[in-house]
Amino acid sequence: SSEVLEAIENVIQDVLKSLAQKKAPVLTLANRSDWRNIEFKDSVGLQMIPHCTTKQIRSDCPRSASKFALMLKILSMIYKMVQSNTYATKRDIYYSDTLLFGSQSVVDNIINDISCMLKIPRRSLHILSTTKGFVAGNLSYTEEDGTKVNCTCSATAVTVPSNVQGIKNLISHAKFMLIVEKDATFQRLLDDDFCNKLSPCIMITGRGVPDLNTRLLVRKLWDSFQIPIFTLMDADPHGVEIMCIYKYGSVSMSFEAHHLTVPSIKWLGLLPSDLERLNIRKDVLIPFTKQDQNKLASIQKRPYIACQPMWKKELEIMAASKLKAEIQVLTSLSSDYLSRVYLPNKLQFGGWL
């Protein structure tokens, strides 16, 4: 915490120095959204290069003056929280002055910018993000406040903890981990008692694009147990994008890649080649939109696809067919096909990439 306080003090000192010299204060931070600032490393995923292009938030420019002020406002809130050892969620910060901040996304963006500027992970800034992910299966742990949590498969899942760094005494006999893209599929597998039927496993869903805590938990479980991790996604560009976030990270959070990515994650399904192999009827598939085409084209150009020839092939199948499929499409074969046939076969015979 002394490191965080010192980092904030340095920023404020620079502001005061500029004012003393009758110059307009400026905050300088790495340009997080620029692919030119990102390098791809097999072992880490996407990470920021040491000497990257920066952008300036100026106090004397009408376009950025309000952002400059909001960054100082949130820095002062962080400073107080670290000093008093209290925590707040991003929502708490937004609701402390909704008129001033204007929207939740403004707050989220500024917090990420501050984290990147100070080179300090968001958790160390005493800001918690609200969790939307669920975990179930062969896992128990103790939360920071001493609460014991047992996720062993029941019909209800456990919410991913909001302070993943603080959990301890993790115990599991799981043979593998399954990351499920969507909540509906996750619930369906829970209802089918999938976690116990085949062999003990841990299931996680970020319910779409995963939040920070879900990604941190996947990484923590990987560090703790080193078991295979598989992903179950829709066979569409959006599903592939989500899987890549778990595996390689995202551009906007690349400065934190070391804590967030698990490059050993495998693509289990739903593969575009599965649709042909299983003779899925064309009338239950969904035609691509223009947006799908653009997203797929952008994914195909990314640096990590080049080192995954099998993935590349699957994306080419998807691009050629211009059709996408949700995992639910398997119910057109039989209502419990996913848990009774598809997943057991894939896991038993190595049908992943």
Side-chain angles (χ1 to χ4, degrees):
S1 60
S2 59
E3 209 177 300
V4 181
L5 296 176
E6 194 183 328
I8 295 174
E9 284 159 11
N10 289 340
V11 171
I12 302 305
Q13 255 170 348
D14 287 344
V15 169
L16 293 174
K17 257 185 222 157
S18 300
L19 290 171
Q21 294 164 358
K22 304 222 171 353
K23 286 186 196 154
V26 167
L27 297 172
T28 306
L29 51 123
N31 199 342
R32 288 191 294 121
S33 56
D34 190 340
W35 271 95
R36 287 170 304 186
N37 284 336
I38 310 295
E39 63 177 354
F40 168 64
K41 268 206 173 139
D42 245 358
S43 56
V44 183
L46 300 175
Q47 59 175 1
M48 221 164 219
I49 57 176
H51 308 292
C52 53
T53 59
T54 55
K55 58 179 180 181
Q56 292 192 323
I57 314 291
R58 302 190 61 87
S59 58
D60 61 348
C61 161
R63 273 219 336 267
S64 60
S66 67
K67 181 164 184 179
F68 180 91
L70 292 179
M71 282 184 78
L72 289 190
K73 165 78 176 164
I74 291 181
L75 277 168
S76 80
M77 294 170 86
I78 292 168
Y79 194 86
K80 284 185 192 128
M81 289 193 299
V82 175
Q83 266 188 324
S84 59
N85 197 21
T86 52
Y87 286 81
T89 65
K90 293 185 299 184
R91 282 182 78 77
D92 296 335
I93 290 176
Y94 168 58
Y95 282 111
S96 70
D97 199 331
T98 51
L99 278 175
L100 176 69
F101 293 120
S103 78
Q104 181 71 60
S105 62
V106 168
V107 172
D108 297 357
N109 206 3
I110 286 178
I111 288 166
N112 284 342
D113 276 342
I114 286 174
S115 173
C116 186
M117 175 176 76
L118 301 177
K119 296 189 172 45
I120 288 169
R122 199 163 77 191
R123 301 165 299 291
S124 307
L125 302 177
H126 285 230
I127 295 170
L128 305 170
S129 51
T130 30
T131 296
K132 63 185 179 99
F134 287 135
V135 58
N138 195 298
L139 173 69
S140 61
Y141 55 84
T142 309
E143 290 205 6
E144 198 174 27
D145 62 2
T147 312
K148 287 186 166 51
V149 179
N150 188 357
C151 309
T152 302
C153 236
S154 56
T156 55
V158 173
T159 310
V160 167
S162 59
N163 188 355
V164 174
Q165 294 312 93
I167 67 174
K168 47 190 185 291
N169 307 334
L170 288 92
I171 300 167
S172 175
H173 305 292
K175 296 283 178 273
F176 64 93
M177 215 153 94
L178 184 66
I179 298 172
V180 183
E181 178 186 349
K182 284 197 186 131
D183 193 26
T185 311
F186 181 86
Q187 295 298 340
R188 179 67 215 244
L189 289 170
L190 266 187
D191 296 342
D192 290 348
D193 197 21
F194 177 75
C195 298
N196 299 318
K197 272 192 182 150
L198 203 60
S199 60
C201 74
I202 299 168
M203 278 200 320
I204 289 185
T205 179
R207 299 164 75 193
V209 176
D211 58 288
L212 198 67
N213 294 327
T214 304
R215 291 173 61 190
L216 282 167
L217 183 63
V218 169
R219 176 60 198 248
K220 187 159 185 120
L221 293 172
W222 161 247
D223 286 338
S224 306
F225 305 120
Q226 303 274 320
I227 50 178
I229 304 180
F230 301 110
T231 56
L232 182 62
M233 306 279 151
D234 288 342
D236 66 8
H238 190 62
V240 175
E241 170 99 288
I242 289 171
M243 170 171 61
C244 291
I245 290 174
Y246 283 109
K247 187 174 171 80
Y248 296 124
S250 58
V251 175
S252 63
M253 294 297 285
S254 57
F255 60 96
E256 272 215 57
H258 288 275
H259 313 284
L260 292 172
T261 58
V262 185
S264 62
I265 282 174
K266 303 279 184 272
W267 186 4
L268 186 73
L270 188 60
L271 303 176
S273 59
D274 288 340
L275 304 174
E276 262 168 53
R277 188 173 59 82
L278 299 170
N279 289 325
I280 302 285
R281 299 196 320 271
K282 285 275 189 286
D283 63 326
V284 294
L285 302 177
I286 308 158
F288 261 26
T289 60
K290 189 82 194 100
Q291 211 181 352
D292 290 325
Q293 273 173 304
N294 294 342
K295 183 172 276 298
L296 182 57
S298 102
I299 292 171
Q300 286 176 302
K301 287 194 198 88
R302 289 189 194 163
Y304 44 69
I305 297 298
C307 70
Q308 291 279 2
M310 305 293 279
W311 283 32
K312 205 170 155 210
K313 224 151 101 188
E314 292 293 333
L315 298 185
E316 281 160 8
I317 294 173
M318 198 190 288
S321 74
K322 292 195 174 56
L323 292 169
K324 55 184 184 177
E326 298 187 319
I327 298 163
Q328 282 77 357
V329 81
L330 295 175
T331 55
S332 69
L333 300 170
S334 76
S335 64
D336 58 352
Y337 191 85
L338 176 66
S339 58
R340 188 174 53 85
V341 184
Y342 183 80
L343 288 174
N345 281 350
K346 284 244 157 185
L347 290 159
Q348 200 177 346
F349 300 115
W352 58 80
L353 306 177

